[in-house]
């Protein structure tokens, strides 16, 4: 099945995770609200399912991140954010004032798209870039 067209249940099964209501609700929420914090995800999931513990949300986010269904980004000075856009080489724009975060396609090419001068023996397979500035609303 084409991964881009697979629904949340199929994606969970494909990575060996059980299909549960909190996992489905989390993936659905993040598909529409990328770069959400755990608190924002919890609020969205609770609106859909009712009572869900904060720990359950963190467990879902961790399991889905570990399995590659979600990506966790941690802009300095801001809470971690989660997104469903994975397995591509994209970066982020982050507003210094409000924290609004947007995707930016890789500016150089294929992963890792940037090469350090020295690797200290590491095998580099990814470069994570965060562009900082002010979003249009904060500029206004």
């Amino acid at each position: 099945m084409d991964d881009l067209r697979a629904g949340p249940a199929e994606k969970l099964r494909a990575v060996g995770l059980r299909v549960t209501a909190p996992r489905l609700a989390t993936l659905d929420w993040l598909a529409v609200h990328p770069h959400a914090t755990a608190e924002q995800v919890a609020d969205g999931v609770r609106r859909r399912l009712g009572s869900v513990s904060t720990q359950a949300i963190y467990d879902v986010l961790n399991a889905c991140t570990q399995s590659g269904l979600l990506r966790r980004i941690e802009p300095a000075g801001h809470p971690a954010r989660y997104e469903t856009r994975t397995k591509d080489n994209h970066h982020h724009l982050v507003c210094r004032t409000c924290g609004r975060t947007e995707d930016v396609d890789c500016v150089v090419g294929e992963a890792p798209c940037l090469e350090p001068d020295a690797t200290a023996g590491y095998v580099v397979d990814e470069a994570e870039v965060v562009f900082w500035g002010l979003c249009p609303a904060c500029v206004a």
Side-chain angles (χ1 to χ4, degrees), residues 71 83 85-92 103-115 124-129 131:
R71 180 176 177 192
E83 63 183 341
R85 186 175 171 186
T86 62
K87 300 180 183 127
D88 71 348
N89 196 37
H90 76 278
H91 307 301
H92 296 94
D103 289 334
V104 177
D105 289 328
C106 184
V107 295
V108 179
E110 299 300 316
C113 90
L114 298 172
E115 305 268 340
V124 177
D125 61 7
E126 181 181 10
E128 189 171 303
V129 177
F131 296 96

Side-chain angles (χ1 to χ4, degrees), residues 15-36:
V15 297
L17 293 176
R18 287 182 328 132
V19 177
T20 65
R23 286 176 178 165
L24 291 172
T26 296
L27 292 176
D28 284 344
W29 172 261
L30 284 168
V32 179
H33 303 92
H35 312 119

Side-chain angles (χ1 to χ4, degrees), residues 20-79:
T20 65
R23 286 176 178 165
L24 291 172
T26 296
L27 292 176
D28 284 344
W29 172 261
L30 284 168
V32 179
H33 303 92
H35 312 119
T37 64
E39 182 178 312
Q40 291 167 329
V41 172
D43 288 344
V45 169
R46 287 183 186 123
R47 280 197 294 273
R48 178 173 169 177
L49 300 179
S51 179
V52 177
S53 74
T54 301
Q55 186 59 53
I57 296 300
Y58 277 101
D59 290 346
V60 168
L61 292 170
N62 185 52
C64 289
T65 300
Q66 292 297 316
S67 70
L69 292 178
L70 296 179
R71 180 176 177 192
R72 176 186 167 123
I73 60 169
E74 299 181 57
H78 295 271

